[in-house]
Amino acid sequence: MRKTIKNIFIEGAIHPTFISDSIAKHSSKKDIGAHSIFLGQIRQDVIDGATVQAIEYTAYEKMALDKMHEIREAVFSKYDLTCMHVYHSLGVVNAGEICLFVFTSSKHRAVAIEGCNEIVERVKAELPIWGKEIFNDESHQWKVNR
């Protein structure tokens, strides 16, 4: 069992350079045959005539990190993953920017894909992270995860 609780939070958007650097670092690991990557991007939805300009994320950080550690352990136990990386934004992330980055690696693609999918679904369903949609008219509403 891994005892280190990793910090998954990044202030603001997750920059494309951070994502590409994370991928590049794995080229030295010769036992990996597949990676699966999920990138969550802020949509510029129109809701009741107002356009989403950004989402401001807040979290109960300690509880979220403890729960993410549980999810990490469960997914590593269920799937033969080589690596797992999860990053979620806090603060304001503008439409078009990345707010969630999940990256799994394994010897085979099915394992990497299935593990990645389970992590994404569990992060969305189980972590105490809230998103406040900020509209172009300066109004806001709390986002419902789908």
Short mmCIF file of all heavy atoms in Angstrom, two decimals, residues 41-107:
data_model
loop_
_atom_site.label_atom_id
_atom_site.label_comp_id
_atom_site.label_asym_id
_atom_site.label_seq_id
_atom_site.Cartn_x
_atom_site.Cartn_y
_atom_site.Cartn_z
N GLN A 41 -12.10 19.89 -20.02
CA GLN A 41 -11.98 21.27 -20.51
C GLN A 41 -13.26 22.03 -20.17
O GLN A 41 -14.35 21.46 -20.25
CB GLN A 41 -11.74 21.25 -22.01
CG GLN A 41 -11.64 22.62 -22.66
CD GLN A 41 -11.23 22.51 -24.12
OE1 GLN A 41 -10.25 21.86 -24.44
NE2 GLN A 41 -11.99 23.15 -24.99
N ILE A 42 -13.13 23.30 -19.83
CA ILE A 42 -14.29 24.13 -19.53
C ILE A 42 -15.04 24.45 -20.82
O ILE A 42 -14.46 24.99 -21.76
CB ILE A 42 -13.87 25.44 -18.82
CG1 ILE A 42 -13.04 25.15 -17.57
CG2 ILE A 42 -15.09 26.30 -18.50
CD1 ILE A 42 -13.73 24.33 -16.52
N ARG A 43 -16.32 24.10 -20.84
CA ARG A 43 -17.18 24.38 -21.99
C ARG A 43 -17.78 25.78 -21.85
O ARG A 43 -18.14 26.20 -20.75
CB ARG A 43 -18.34 23.39 -22.07
CG ARG A 43 -17.96 22.00 -22.48
CD ARG A 43 -19.21 21.13 -22.65
NE ARG A 43 -20.17 21.29 -21.57
CZ ARG A 43 -20.14 20.58 -20.43
NH1 ARG A 43 -19.20 19.69 -20.22
NH2 ARG A 43 -21.07 20.78 -19.51
N GLN A 44 -17.99 26.43 -22.96
CA GLN A 44 -18.62 27.74 -22.97
C GLN A 44 -20.12 27.54 -23.23
O GLN A 44 -20.67 28.00 -24.22
CB GLN A 44 -17.98 28.65 -24.01
CG GLN A 44 -18.32 30.11 -23.83
CD GLN A 44 -17.48 30.98 -24.74
OE1 GLN A 44 -17.38 30.74 -25.93
NE2 GLN A 44 -16.86 31.99 -24.15
N ASP A 45 -20.77 26.84 -22.29
CA ASP A 45 -22.20 26.56 -22.41
C ASP A 45 -23.01 27.85 -22.36
O ASP A 45 -22.59 28.84 -21.73
CB ASP A 45 -22.67 25.66 -21.27
CG ASP A 45 -22.18 24.23 -21.39
OD1 ASP A 45 -21.78 23.83 -22.50
OD2 ASP A 45 -22.20 23.51 -20.37
N VAL A 46 -24.18 27.82 -22.97
CA VAL A 46 -25.15 28.90 -22.84
C VAL A 46 -26.31 28.34 -22.04
O VAL A 46 -26.93 27.35 -22.44
CB VAL A 46 -25.62 29.42 -24.21
CG1 VAL A 46 -26.70 30.48 -24.04
CG2 VAL A 46 -24.44 29.97 -25.01
N ILE A 47 -26.57 28.96 -20.88
CA ILE A 47 -27.62 28.49 -19.98
C ILE A 47 -28.56 29.65 -19.71
O ILE A 47 -28.14 30.70 -19.19
CB ILE A 47 -27.01 27.96 -18.66
CG1 ILE A 47 -26.04 26.81 -18.97
CG2 ILE A 47 -28.11 27.50 -17.70
CD1 ILE A 47 -25.17 26.38 -17.81
N ASP A 48 -29.81 29.47 -20.07
CA ASP A 48 -30.82 30.53 -19.90
C ASP A 48 -30.35 31.87 -20.48
O ASP A 48 -30.53 32.93 -19.87
CB ASP A 48 -31.19 30.70 -18.42
CG ASP A 48 -31.84 29.44 -17.85
OD1 ASP A 48 -32.52 28.72 -18.63
OD2 ASP A 48 -31.67 29.18 -16.64
N GLY A 49 -29.71 31.82 -21.62
CA GLY A 49 -29.27 33.02 -22.31
C GLY A 49 -27.95 33.61 -21.84
O GLY A 49 -27.45 34.56 -22.44
N ALA A 50 -27.35 33.06 -20.79
CA ALA A 50 -26.06 33.55 -20.30
C ALA A 50 -24.96 32.56 -20.70
O ALA A 50 -25.17 31.34 -20.68
CB ALA A 50 -26.09 33.72 -18.78
N THR A 51 -23.79 33.08 -21.05
CA THR A 51 -22.68 32.25 -21.53
C THR A 51 -21.66 32.04 -20.42
O THR A 51 -21.22 33.00 -19.77
CB THR A 51 -21.99 32.93 -22.73
OG1 THR A 51 -22.98 33.15 -23.75
CG2 THR A 51 -20.88 32.07 -23.29
N VAL A 52 -21.28 30.77 -20.21
CA VAL A 52 -20.25 30.45 -19.21
C VAL A 52 -18.91 31.00 -19.70
O VAL A 52 -18.46 30.68 -20.80
CB VAL A 52 -20.15 28.93 -18.97
CG1 VAL A 52 -18.99 28.60 -18.05
CG2 VAL A 52 -21.46 28.37 -18.42
N GLN A 53 -18.29 31.83 -18.90
CA GLN A 53 -16.98 32.39 -19.20
C GLN A 53 -15.86 31.66 -18.47
O GLN A 53 -14.73 31.62 -18.92
CB GLN A 53 -16.93 33.88 -18.83
CG GLN A 53 -17.87 34.73 -19.66
CD GLN A 53 -17.52 34.67 -21.14
OE1 GLN A 53 -16.40 34.94 -21.55
NE2 GLN A 53 -18.49 34.28 -21.95
N ALA A 54 -16.21 31.09 -17.29
CA ALA A 54 -15.21 30.44 -16.45
C ALA A 54 -15.92 29.60 -15.40
O ALA A 54 -17.13 29.74 -15.19
CB ALA A 54 -14.31 31.47 -15.78
N ILE A 55 -15.17 28.74 -14.76
CA ILE A 55 -15.64 28.04 -13.58
C ILE A 55 -14.61 28.29 -12.48
O ILE A 55 -13.40 28.20 -12.71
CB ILE A 55 -15.82 26.53 -13.81
CG1 ILE A 55 -16.92 26.29 -14.84
CG2 ILE A 55 -16.14 25.82 -12.50
CD1 ILE A 55 -17.18 24.83 -15.17
N GLU A 56 -15.12 28.63 -11.30
CA GLU A 56 -14.25 28.80 -10.13
C GLU A 56 -14.41 27.56 -9.25
O GLU A 56 -15.50 27.28 -8.74
CB GLU A 56 -14.64 30.05 -9.34
CG GLU A 56 -13.73 30.27 -8.15
CD GLU A 56 -14.07 31.54 -7.39
OE1 GLU A 56 -15.07 32.21 -7.72
OE2 GLU A 56 -13.32 31.86 -6.46
N TYR A 57 -13.30 26.81 -9.08
CA TYR A 57 -13.32 25.57 -8.31
C TYR A 57 -12.86 25.81 -6.89
O TYR A 57 -11.85 26.50 -6.64
CB TYR A 57 -12.41 24.51 -8.95
CG TYR A 57 -12.97 23.94 -10.22
CD1 TYR A 57 -12.53 24.38 -11.46
CD2 TYR A 57 -13.96 22.98 -10.19
CE1 TYR A 57 -13.05 23.87 -12.63
CE2 TYR A 57 -14.50 22.46 -11.35
CZ TYR A 57 -14.03 22.90 -12.57
OH TYR A 57 -14.55 22.39 -13.72
N THR A 58 -13.61 25.22 -5.95
CA THR A 58 -13.21 25.19 -4.55
C THR A 58 -13.32 23.74 -4.09
O THR A 58 -14.01 22.92 -4.72
CB THR A 58 -14.12 26.08 -3.68
OG1 THR A 58 -15.47 25.67 -3.85
CG2 THR A 58 -13.97 27.55 -4.05
N ALA A 59 -12.65 23.43 -3.00
CA ALA A 59 -12.67 22.06 -2.50
C ALA A 59 -12.45 22.06 -1.00
O ALA A 59 -11.85 22.97 -0.43
CB ALA A 59 -11.56 21.24 -3.15
N TYR A 60 -12.95 21.01 -0.38
CA TYR A 60 -12.57 20.70 0.99
C TYR A 60 -11.29 19.87 0.80
O TYR A 60 -11.36 18.66 0.60
CB TYR A 60 -13.68 19.93 1.68
CG TYR A 60 -13.43 19.60 3.13
CD1 TYR A 60 -14.37 18.91 3.86
CD2 TYR A 60 -12.25 19.97 3.78
CE1 TYR A 60 -14.16 18.58 5.19
CE2 TYR A 60 -12.02 19.65 5.10
CZ TYR A 60 -12.99 18.95 5.79
OH TYR A 60 -12.75 18.63 7.10
N GLU A 61 -10.15 20.56 0.78
CA GLU A 61 -8.91 19.95 0.29
C GLU A 61 -8.47 18.71 1.05
O GLU A 61 -8.15 17.70 0.44
CB GLU A 61 -7.79 20.99 0.25
CG GLU A 61 -8.02 22.03 -0.83
CD GLU A 61 -6.88 23.02 -0.95
OE1 GLU A 61 -5.71 22.58 -1.04
OE2 GLU A 61 -7.17 24.23 -0.95
N LYS A 62 -8.43 18.74 2.38
CA LYS A 62 -7.96 17.58 3.13
C LYS A 62 -8.84 16.37 2.86
O LYS A 62 -8.35 15.27 2.61
CB LYS A 62 -7.89 17.86 4.62
CG LYS A 62 -7.46 16.61 5.38
CD LYS A 62 -7.01 16.83 6.75
CE LYS A 62 -6.57 15.60 7.50
NZ LYS A 62 -6.52 14.33 6.87
N MET A 63 -10.15 16.58 2.91
CA MET A 63 -11.07 15.47 2.65
C MET A 63 -10.91 14.95 1.22
O MET A 63 -10.92 13.74 0.98
CB MET A 63 -12.52 15.90 2.90
CG MET A 63 -13.51 14.76 2.77
SD MET A 63 -15.23 15.31 2.97
CE MET A 63 -15.24 15.63 4.73
N ALA A 64 -10.76 15.87 0.27
CA ALA A 64 -10.59 15.47 -1.13
C ALA A 64 -9.30 14.67 -1.32
O ALA A 64 -9.30 13.66 -2.04
CB ALA A 64 -10.60 16.69 -2.04
N LEU A 65 -8.22 15.11 -0.69
CA LEU A 65 -6.95 14.40 -0.84
C LEU A 65 -7.00 13.02 -0.18
O LEU A 65 -6.47 12.04 -0.73
CB LEU A 65 -5.80 15.24 -0.29
CG LEU A 65 -5.53 16.54 -1.05
CD1 LEU A 65 -4.43 17.34 -0.37
CD2 LEU A 65 -5.17 16.27 -2.51
N ASP A 66 -7.64 12.93 0.98
CA ASP A 66 -7.80 11.63 1.64
C ASP A 66 -8.63 10.69 0.77
O ASP A 66 -8.29 9.52 0.60
CB ASP A 66 -8.45 11.79 3.02
CG ASP A 66 -7.52 12.42 4.05
OD1 ASP A 66 -6.29 12.47 3.81
OD2 ASP A 66 -8.04 12.86 5.10
N LYS A 67 -9.72 11.20 0.20
CA LYS A 67 -10.59 10.38 -0.65
C LYS A 67 -9.86 9.98 -1.93
O LYS A 67 -9.98 8.84 -2.39
CB LYS A 67 -11.89 11.14 -0.98
CG LYS A 67 -12.89 10.30 -1.70
CD LYS A 67 -13.32 9.13 -0.85
CE LYS A 67 -14.39 8.30 -1.49
NZ LYS A 67 -14.74 7.13 -0.69
N MET A 68 -9.09 10.91 -2.50
CA MET A 68 -8.33 10.58 -3.71
C MET A 68 -7.31 9.49 -3.41
O MET A 68 -7.08 8.62 -4.25
CB MET A 68 -7.65 11.84 -4.26
CG MET A 68 -6.95 11.61 -5.60
SD MET A 68 -8.10 11.17 -6.92
CE MET A 68 -7.28 9.70 -7.56
N HIS A 69 -6.72 9.51 -2.23
CA HIS A 69 -5.78 8.46 -1.84
C HIS A 69 -6.50 7.10 -1.79
O HIS A 69 -5.96 6.10 -2.29
CB HIS A 69 -5.15 8.79 -0.48
CG HIS A 69 -4.15 7.78 -0.04
ND1 HIS A 69 -2.90 7.69 -0.63
CD2 HIS A 69 -4.20 6.81 0.90
CE1 HIS A 69 -2.23 6.70 -0.06
NE2 HIS A 69 -2.99 6.16 0.87
N GLU A 70 -7.71 7.07 -1.25
CA GLU A 70 -8.50 5.83 -1.23
C GLU A 70 -8.78 5.35 -2.66
O GLU A 70 -8.67 4.16 -2.95
CB GLU A 70 -9.84 6.06 -0.52
CG GLU A 70 -9.76 6.20 0.96
CD GLU A 70 -11.14 6.49 1.56
OE1 GLU A 70 -12.17 6.07 0.96
OE2 GLU A 70 -11.19 7.15 2.61
N ILE A 71 -9.18 6.28 -3.51
CA ILE A 71 -9.46 5.93 -4.91
C ILE A 71 -8.20 5.40 -5.58
O ILE A 71 -8.23 4.38 -6.27
CB ILE A 71 -10.04 7.14 -5.68
CG1 ILE A 71 -11.42 7.51 -5.13
CG2 ILE A 71 -10.10 6.87 -7.18
CD1 ILE A 71 -11.95 8.85 -5.62
N ARG A 72 -7.09 6.08 -5.36
CA ARG A 72 -5.80 5.67 -5.93
C ARG A 72 -5.48 4.23 -5.53
O ARG A 72 -5.15 3.40 -6.37
CB ARG A 72 -4.71 6.64 -5.45
CG ARG A 72 -3.30 6.24 -5.82
CD ARG A 72 -2.28 7.23 -5.26
NE ARG A 72 -2.39 8.52 -5.89
CZ ARG A 72 -1.89 8.81 -7.09
NH1 ARG A 72 -1.28 7.90 -7.79
NH2 ARG A 72 -2.04 10.01 -7.60
N GLU A 73 -5.59 3.94 -4.24
CA GLU A 73 -5.27 2.60 -3.75
C GLU A 73 -6.21 1.55 -4.35
O GLU A 73 -5.77 0.48 -4.76
CB GLU A 73 -5.34 2.57 -2.22
CG GLU A 73 -4.24 3.37 -1.55
CD GLU A 73 -2.84 2.92 -1.94
OE1 GLU A 73 -2.57 1.71 -1.97
OE2 GLU A 73 -2.01 3.80 -2.25
N ALA A 74 -7.50 1.87 -4.42
CA ALA A 74 -8.48 0.92 -4.96
C ALA A 74 -8.22 0.64 -6.43
O ALA A 74 -8.29 -0.51 -6.88
CB ALA A 74 -9.90 1.47 -4.76
N VAL A 75 -7.90 1.68 -7.19
CA VAL A 75 -7.67 1.51 -8.63
C VAL A 75 -6.36 0.76 -8.87
O VAL A 75 -6.30 -0.12 -9.73
CB VAL A 75 -7.73 2.86 -9.37
CG1 VAL A 75 -7.29 2.73 -10.81
CG2 VAL A 75 -9.16 3.41 -9.30
N PHE A 76 -5.32 1.06 -8.10
CA PHE A 76 -4.06 0.30 -8.24
C PHE A 76 -4.27 -1.17 -7.88
O PHE A 76 -3.66 -2.05 -8.48
CB PHE A 76 -2.94 0.90 -7.37
CG PHE A 76 -2.05 1.86 -8.09
CD1 PHE A 76 -1.95 3.17 -7.64
CD2 PHE A 76 -1.30 1.49 -9.20
CE1 PHE A 76 -1.12 4.08 -8.29
CE2 PHE A 76 -0.47 2.39 -9.85
CZ PHE A 76 -0.39 3.69 -9.39
N SER A 77 -5.15 -1.45 -6.91
CA SER A 77 -5.43 -2.84 -6.53
C SER A 77 -6.22 -3.58 -7.60
O SER A 77 -6.05 -4.77 -7.80
CB SER A 77 -6.22 -2.88 -5.21
OG SER A 77 -5.42 -2.42 -4.16
N LYS A 78 -7.11 -2.86 -8.28
CA LYS A 78 -8.00 -3.47 -9.27
C LYS A 78 -7.34 -3.64 -10.64
O LYS A 78 -7.63 -4.60 -11.36
CB LYS A 78 -9.24 -2.59 -9.41
CG LYS A 78 -10.32 -3.14 -10.30
CD LYS A 78 -11.57 -2.26 -10.24
CE LYS A 78 -12.66 -2.75 -11.15
NZ LYS A 78 -13.86 -1.89 -11.07
N TYR A 79 -6.47 -2.71 -11.03
CA TYR A 79 -5.86 -2.71 -12.36
C TYR A 79 -4.34 -2.78 -12.23
O TYR A 79 -3.76 -2.23 -11.31
CB TYR A 79 -6.22 -1.43 -13.13
CG TYR A 79 -7.69 -1.22 -13.31
CD1 TYR A 79 -8.41 -0.41 -12.44
CD2 TYR A 79 -8.38 -1.84 -14.36
CE1 TYR A 79 -9.78 -0.21 -12.61
CE2 TYR A 79 -9.74 -1.64 -14.52
CZ TYR A 79 -10.43 -0.83 -13.65
OH TYR A 79 -11.78 -0.64 -13.81
N ASP A 80 -3.71 -3.44 -13.19
CA ASP A 80 -2.25 -3.56 -13.20
C ASP A 80 -1.63 -2.33 -13.87
O ASP A 80 -1.08 -2.41 -14.97
CB ASP A 80 -1.85 -4.85 -13.92
CG ASP A 80 -0.36 -5.15 -13.79
OD1 ASP A 80 0.29 -4.58 -12.89
OD2 ASP A 80 0.15 -5.94 -14.61
N LEU A 81 -1.74 -1.19 -13.18
CA LEU A 81 -1.21 0.06 -13.70
C LEU A 81 0.25 0.23 -13.30
O LEU A 81 0.64 -0.16 -12.20
CB LEU A 81 -2.01 1.25 -13.17
CG LEU A 81 -3.47 1.33 -13.62
CD1 LEU A 81 -4.17 2.49 -12.90
CD2 LEU A 81 -3.57 1.49 -15.12
N THR A 82 1.01 0.84 -14.19
CA THR A 82 2.39 1.19 -13.90
C THR A 82 2.45 2.56 -13.21
O THR A 82 3.19 2.76 -12.27
CB THR A 82 3.21 1.23 -15.21
OG1 THR A 82 3.02 0.00 -15.90
CG2 THR A 82 4.68 1.44 -14.93
N CYS A 83 1.65 3.49 -13.72
CA CYS A 83 1.64 4.87 -13.21
C CYS A 83 0.21 5.41 -13.22
O CYS A 83 -0.60 5.00 -14.04
CB CYS A 83 2.48 5.80 -14.07
SG CYS A 83 4.21 5.40 -14.15
N MET A 84 -0.03 6.35 -12.31
CA MET A 84 -1.30 7.07 -12.26
C MET A 84 -1.02 8.49 -11.79
O MET A 84 -0.36 8.69 -10.78
CB MET A 84 -2.25 6.40 -11.26
CG MET A 84 -3.54 7.17 -11.02
SD MET A 84 -4.45 6.62 -9.54
CE MET A 84 -4.50 4.85 -9.72
N HIS A 85 -1.53 9.45 -12.54
CA HIS A 85 -1.37 10.86 -12.18
C HIS A 85 -2.73 11.53 -12.31
O HIS A 85 -3.43 11.34 -13.31
CB HIS A 85 -0.35 11.56 -13.08
CG HIS A 85 0.97 10.89 -13.07
ND1 HIS A 85 1.89 11.07 -12.05
CD2 HIS A 85 1.53 10.00 -13.93
CE1 HIS A 85 2.96 10.34 -12.30
NE2 HIS A 85 2.77 9.69 -13.43
N VAL A 86 -3.11 12.30 -11.30
CA VAL A 86 -4.38 13.01 -11.30
C VAL A 86 -4.11 14.45 -10.85
O VAL A 86 -3.47 14.67 -9.82
CB VAL A 86 -5.40 12.36 -10.35
CG1 VAL A 86 -6.72 13.14 -10.33
CG2 VAL A 86 -5.64 10.90 -10.72
N TYR A 87 -4.62 15.40 -11.63
CA TYR A 87 -4.49 16.83 -11.28
C TYR A 87 -5.83 17.50 -11.53
O TYR A 87 -6.47 17.26 -12.55
CB TYR A 87 -3.42 17.51 -12.14
CG TYR A 87 -2.05 16.90 -11.93
CD1 TYR A 87 -1.56 15.95 -12.80
CD2 TYR A 87 -1.27 17.28 -10.84
CE1 TYR A 87 -0.32 15.36 -12.60
CE2 TYR A 87 -0.03 16.69 -10.63
CZ TYR A 87 0.44 15.74 -11.51
OH TYR A 87 1.67 15.16 -11.31
N HIS A 88 -6.25 18.33 -10.57
CA HIS A 88 -7.51 19.06 -10.67
C HIS A 88 -7.26 20.52 -10.32
O HIS A 88 -6.55 20.82 -9.36
CB HIS A 88 -8.55 18.46 -9.72
CG HIS A 88 -9.95 18.85 -10.06
ND1 HIS A 88 -10.40 20.16 -10.02
CD2 HIS A 88 -11.02 18.10 -10.44
CE1 HIS A 88 -11.67 20.20 -10.36
NE2 HIS A 88 -12.07 18.97 -10.62
N SER A 89 -7.86 21.40 -11.07
CA SER A 89 -7.71 22.83 -10.83
C SER A 89 -8.48 23.30 -9.61
O SER A 89 -9.53 22.75 -9.27
CB SER A 89 -8.23 23.62 -12.03
OG SER A 89 -7.42 23.39 -13.16
N LEU A 90 -7.95 24.34 -8.98
CA LEU A 90 -8.65 25.14 -7.99
C LEU A 90 -8.60 26.58 -8.49
O LEU A 90 -7.70 26.94 -9.25
CB LEU A 90 -7.99 25.05 -6.61
CG LEU A 90 -8.14 23.74 -5.86
CD1 LEU A 90 -7.42 23.82 -4.52
CD2 LEU A 90 -9.60 23.36 -5.65
N GLY A 91 -9.55 27.39 -8.06
CA GLY A 91 -9.58 28.77 -8.52
C GLY A 91 -10.29 28.88 -9.85
O GLY A 91 -11.02 27.98 -10.27
N VAL A 92 -10.05 29.99 -10.53
CA VAL A 92 -10.76 30.30 -11.77
C VAL A 92 -10.06 29.66 -12.97
O VAL A 92 -8.85 29.80 -13.16
CB VAL A 92 -10.87 31.82 -11.97
CG1 VAL A 92 -11.51 32.16 -13.31
CG2 VAL A 92 -11.67 32.45 -10.83
N VAL A 93 -10.87 28.96 -13.78
CA VAL A 93 -10.39 28.36 -15.03
C VAL A 93 -11.34 28.85 -16.13
O VAL A 93 -12.56 28.67 -16.03
CB VAL A 93 -10.40 26.82 -14.96
CG1 VAL A 93 -9.87 26.23 -16.26
CG2 VAL A 93 -9.59 26.32 -13.76
N ASN A 94 -10.79 29.49 -17.14
CA ASN A 94 -11.59 30.08 -18.21
C ASN A 94 -12.07 29.04 -19.21
O ASN A 94 -11.46 27.98 -19.37
CB ASN A 94 -10.77 31.15 -18.95
CG ASN A 94 -10.45 32.33 -18.05
OD1 ASN A 94 -11.31 32.83 -17.34
ND2 ASN A 94 -9.21 32.77 -18.09
N ALA A 95 -13.16 29.37 -19.90
CA ALA A 95 -13.67 28.50 -20.97
C ALA A 95 -12.54 28.20 -21.96
O ALA A 95 -11.77 29.08 -22.33
CB ALA A 95 -14.85 29.17 -21.68
N GLY A 96 -12.44 26.92 -22.34
CA GLY A 96 -11.40 26.49 -23.26
C GLY A 96 -10.15 25.97 -22.57
O GLY A 96 -9.31 25.34 -23.21
N GLU A 97 -10.02 26.19 -21.28
CA GLU A 97 -8.83 25.74 -20.55
C GLU A 97 -9.10 24.40 -19.88
O GLU A 97 -10.24 24.00 -19.65
CB GLU A 97 -8.43 26.78 -19.49
CG GLU A 97 -7.95 28.08 -20.11
CD GLU A 97 -7.55 29.13 -19.08
OE1 GLU A 97 -8.20 29.23 -18.00
OE2 GLU A 97 -6.57 29.86 -19.36
N ILE A 98 -8.01 23.70 -19.54
CA ILE A 98 -8.08 22.37 -18.93
C ILE A 98 -8.17 22.50 -17.40
O ILE A 98 -7.40 23.24 -16.79
CB ILE A 98 -6.84 21.53 -19.31
CG1 ILE A 98 -6.72 21.39 -20.84
CG2 ILE A 98 -6.87 20.14 -18.63
CD1 ILE A 98 -7.86 20.70 -21.52
N CYS A 99 -9.11 21.72 -16.82
CA CYS A 99 -9.32 21.75 -15.37
C CYS A 99 -9.08 20.39 -14.71
O CYS A 99 -8.97 20.30 -13.49
CB CYS A 99 -10.72 22.24 -15.04
SG CYS A 99 -12.02 21.20 -15.76
N LEU A 100 -9.03 19.31 -15.49
CA LEU A 100 -8.80 17.97 -14.95
C LEU A 100 -7.91 17.20 -15.91
O LEU A 100 -8.16 17.16 -17.11
CB LEU A 100 -10.14 17.22 -14.77
CG LEU A 100 -10.06 15.77 -14.29
CD1 LEU A 100 -9.38 15.66 -12.92
CD2 LEU A 100 -11.46 15.16 -14.23
N PHE A 101 -6.86 16.60 -15.35
CA PHE A 101 -5.89 15.83 -16.13
C PHE A 101 -5.69 14.51 -15.40
O PHE A 101 -5.23 14.48 -14.26
CB PHE A 101 -4.58 16.62 -16.21
CG PHE A 101 -3.40 15.89 -16.80
CD1 PHE A 101 -3.52 14.96 -17.82
CD2 PHE A 101 -2.12 16.19 -16.34
CE1 PHE A 101 -2.41 14.32 -18.36
CE2 PHE A 101 -1.00 15.56 -16.88
CZ PHE A 101 -1.13 14.63 -17.88
N VAL A 102 -6.11 13.41 -16.03
CA VAL A 102 -5.91 12.07 -15.50
C VAL A 102 -5.08 11.31 -16.51
O VAL A 102 -5.40 11.29 -17.70
CB VAL A 102 -7.26 11.35 -15.24
CG1 VAL A 102 -7.02 9.94 -14.73
CG2 VAL A 102 -8.11 12.15 -14.26
N PHE A 103 -4.01 10.67 -16.03
CA PHE A 103 -3.03 10.03 -16.89
C PHE A 103 -2.66 8.69 -16.27
O PHE A 103 -2.15 8.64 -15.15
CB PHE A 103 -1.81 10.96 -16.96
CG PHE A 103 -0.64 10.49 -17.78
CD1 PHE A 103 -0.77 9.65 -18.86
CD2 PHE A 103 0.64 10.94 -17.46
CE1 PHE A 103 0.33 9.25 -19.62
CE2 PHE A 103 1.74 10.56 -18.20
CZ PHE A 103 1.59 9.71 -19.28
N THR A 104 -2.98 7.59 -16.96
CA THR A 104 -2.63 6.26 -16.47
C THR A 104 -1.73 5.57 -17.49
O THR A 104 -1.82 5.83 -18.69
CB THR A 104 -3.87 5.39 -16.24
OG1 THR A 104 -4.63 5.32 -17.44
CG2 THR A 104 -4.72 5.94 -15.10
N SER A 105 -0.90 4.68 -16.98
CA SER A 105 0.02 3.92 -17.83
C SER A 105 0.01 2.46 -17.38
O SER A 105 -0.14 2.17 -16.19
CB SER A 105 1.45 4.45 -17.69
OG SER A 105 1.50 5.83 -17.96
N SER A 106 0.20 1.56 -18.36
CA SER A 106 0.28 0.14 -18.06
C SER A 106 0.98 -0.58 -19.21
O SER A 106 1.33 0.04 -20.22
CB SER A 106 -1.12 -0.45 -17.84
OG SER A 106 -1.83 -0.45 -19.06
N LYS A 107 1.13 -1.87 -19.05
CA LYS A 107 1.73 -2.65 -20.13
C LYS A 107 0.78 -2.76 -21.32
O LYS A 107 1.24 -2.86 -22.46
CB LYS A 107 2.08 -4.05 -19.62
CG LYS A 107 3.23 -4.04 -18.65
CD LYS A 107 3.61 -5.43 -18.19
CE LYS A 107 4.76 -5.27 -17.21
NZ LYS A 107 5.35 -6.54 -16.82
#
